[in-house]
Amino acid sequence: MDTLNIHAAKTHFSGLVERAEKGETIIIARAGKPVAKLTPLETGVTDRVAMAARRIGFMKGEFSIPDDFNEMGREEIERMFNGDDKG
């Protein structure tokens, strides 16, 4: 694991990214103190992000929500909230 100062990291950034793509981790330091780490992404991270975006709305049309959904169990919830959970 190499440590480079910020100036060197900026100068050689594209090469550092290639090294990270190959699995290497690079530490970036300011005044000799490590402040950042360039690491390879987990395999499939970008695929999972894209898949999650596609999943939004995947159940559209598969079920319906009753009109009284917000009222279902209201009396029981109010009793429990007020400390009278005997029913």
Side-chain angles (χ1 to χ4, degrees):
M1 186 176 339
D2 282 346
T3 300
L4 297 137
N5 66 36
I6 291 175
H7 178 72
K10 288 193 311 186
T11 303
H12 303 289
F13 186 70
S14 60
L16 296 175
V17 170
E18 287 178 16
R19 288 170 56 185
E21 285 177 323
K22 294 176 184 173
E24 193 173 340
T25 297
I26 296 102
I27 301 295
I28 300 171
R30 176 183 287 134
K33 179 182 175 188
V35 294
K37 186 189 314 186
L38 180 60
T39 61
L41 288 176
E42 294 177 24
T43 304
V45 167
T46 53
D47 294 337
R48 286 196 300 259
V49 170
M51 190 165 94
R54 284 192 304 267
R55 288 182 50 87
I56 294 174
F58 76 102
M59 293 292 293
K60 186 174 184 173
E62 296 295 318
F63 62 92
S64 61
I65 299 173
D67 291 335
D68 65 343
F69 177 78
N70 290 336
E71 300 298 319
M72 295 171 60
R74 181 180 187 158
E75 292 174 7
E76 181 181 1
I77 292 169
E78 285 178 357
R79 281 197 312 272
M80 292 171 68
F81 186 79
N82 293 323
D84 181 22
D85 58 356
K86 297 175 186 143

